[in-house]
Amino acid sequence: MDKKLAFTGFFLLCTLLSATAQQADSLRILPELPSAGAGEPIGEVENELVTMRRGSDDSSVVLEVAGFGLTLGRASDTETGKHREVKSYPRVCGVFCDGIELGFNTLVGLDYAGYPAGTEDFLDVRPGNSFHFGITPVGLDIDLDRKRKFGFSTGLRYTVDNYRLSNNSITLGREDGRIVPVALDEPAGKSKLRITSLGFPLQFSCEPVRHLNIAVVGYCDFTVGVNSIYKKPKVKNGLSGVNPFRFGIGGAVSYRGFGVYVRYGITPLFRSSAGPTCHPLSFGVCIFM
């Protein structure tokens, strides 16, 4: 832009000088004034129509034609005298694949009140074989300060939670409105409960030092599918009784996008009187894009 303005001024000057070439006796070449200040001639060309003067700072020149001034040069910071560069940055941006969680599941606070004796442990799970997977394919990130040290993000998260039962000779069924163990004809290779959800994580994060991110998360999950599965061969049956909406809290610490997370379900996993009272707990690694 500066080069274009300078070229425009030079072209205008040449045109005017050519037009006034017949008035050469009125054209003066002014010597350089070492102490010339703003608005004083600086050894430029001056006649009755054209005057070139120093601008308000050293980086600009004013071309005055018939009383009208054209400033050539970049605008500067009037306080510091330095060129000011205004940098824009996005405060709100959409993100694809905003985060991934890979971890393990377990159930805590199990209470089998109301169940007959001998069935108190049917929902015990194997944490090492109970997997959690969560991904946010579409997210929204908002910077809460100019330095991007604090932020808020949300999005659409798809979650799959597998709970591997410790007892592989049973599967889960529903009887009289309650989830109960159902004995198998023979032990299966594995027996588990699978829950799929769609939700909206609400995450607040801060960056105390460069590349280190600490986040606090609120999970709002809506149950979209529940199945009891055992194999081999694979048999999958739909199961009701899980809370349709579940809220949880959690946190994550990551460095350069890789870290660890933990999440805890405040809402019980099952609806009231539909199953044992328990809360899901998950922990593992996370990746932030």
Side-chain angles (χ1 to χ4, degrees), residues 8-288:
T8 301
F10 179 74
F11 179 77
L12 179 61
L13 176 63
C14 291
T15 302
L16 292 173
L17 289 178
S18 176
T20 58
Q22 295 179 355
Q23 302 177 357
D25 55 341
S26 65
L27 186 66
R28 293 183 295 145
I29 306 297
L30 301 180
E32 174 70 27
L33 300 179
S35 60
E40 298 182 8
I42 53 175
E44 310 84 342
V45 177
E46 181 181 272
N47 63 15
E48 295 178 352
L49 297 177
V50 181
T51 303
M52 185 175 289
R53 304 180 183 279
R54 187 185 305 279
S56 59
D57 57 80
D58 294 337
S59 64
S60 64
V61 175
V62 178
L63 178 65
E64 187 175 303
V65 181
F68 295 94
L70 175 65
T71 301
L72 308 178
R74 291 185 297 179
S76 62
D77 193 321
T78 56
E79 296 182 357
T80 63
K82 298 181 180 179
H83 295 303
R84 180 175 56 195
E85 297 182 0
V86 179
K87 296 183 178 180
S88 61
Y89 63 96
R91 297 293 299 273
V92 180
C93 62
V95 181
F96 290 100
C97 196
D98 197 21
I100 298 175
E101 293 176 346
L102 297 171
F104 303 98
N105 287 323
T106 188
L107 297 174
V108 297
L110 277 165
D111 184 358
Y112 293 94
Y115 279 86
T119 60
E120 295 87 351
D121 59 353
F122 74 90
L123 208 56
D124 289 356
V125 300
R126 301 177 182 178
N129 299 106
S130 301
F131 298 104
H132 166 86
F133 171 75
I135 183 172
T136 306
V138 180
L140 182 68
D141 292 347
I142 303 174
D143 293 320
L144 299 179
D145 70 323
R146 190 173 184 83
K147 295 183 178 180
R148 300 183 180 182
K149 295 294 185 182
F150 298 90
F152 168 79
S153 64
T154 186
L156 178 65
R157 172 162 294 186
Y158 174 72
T159 305
V160 179
D161 289 301
N162 287 282
Y163 299 91
R164 175 83 172 270
L165 300 181
S166 298
N167 186 354
N168 60 353
S169 64
I170 64 171
T171 187
L172 299 180
R174 190 169 171 84
E175 182 178 318
D176 296 329
R178 175 175 287 190
I179 294 175
V180 296
V182 177
L184 298 174
D185 295 335
E186 59 182 18
K190 61 178 66 175
S191 181
K192 61 183 178 180
L193 171 68
R194 175 180 293 171
I195 302 173
T196 57
S197 310
L198 286 176
F200 303 92
L202 307 175
Q203 176 173 299
F204 292 90
S205 59
C206 68
E207 189 177 282
V209 298
R210 187 174 176 82
H211 302 307
L212 179 64
N213 186 277
I214 300 175
V216 177
V217 189
Y219 297 94
C220 302
D221 293 323
F222 297 87
T223 303
V224 296
V226 182
N227 293 282
S228 60
I229 303 171
Y230 64 91
K231 57 176 77 172
K232 299 180 179 178
K234 183 177 179 180
V235 178
K236 181 170 67 173
N237 297 306
L239 187 69
S240 59
V242 173
N243 265 313
F245 171 78
R246 289 169 286 120
F247 176 74
I249 58 173
V253 179
S254 63
Y255 183 76
R256 292 185 178 273
F258 297 90
V260 295
Y261 80 92
V262 62
R263 58 181 291 177
Y264 172 76
I266 295 178
T267 305
L269 183 61
F270 302 108
R271 295 199 304 263
S272 178
S273 302
T277 301
C278 59
H279 298 266
L281 175 67
S282 176
F283 54 92
V285 298
C286 57
I287 303 172
F288 294 108

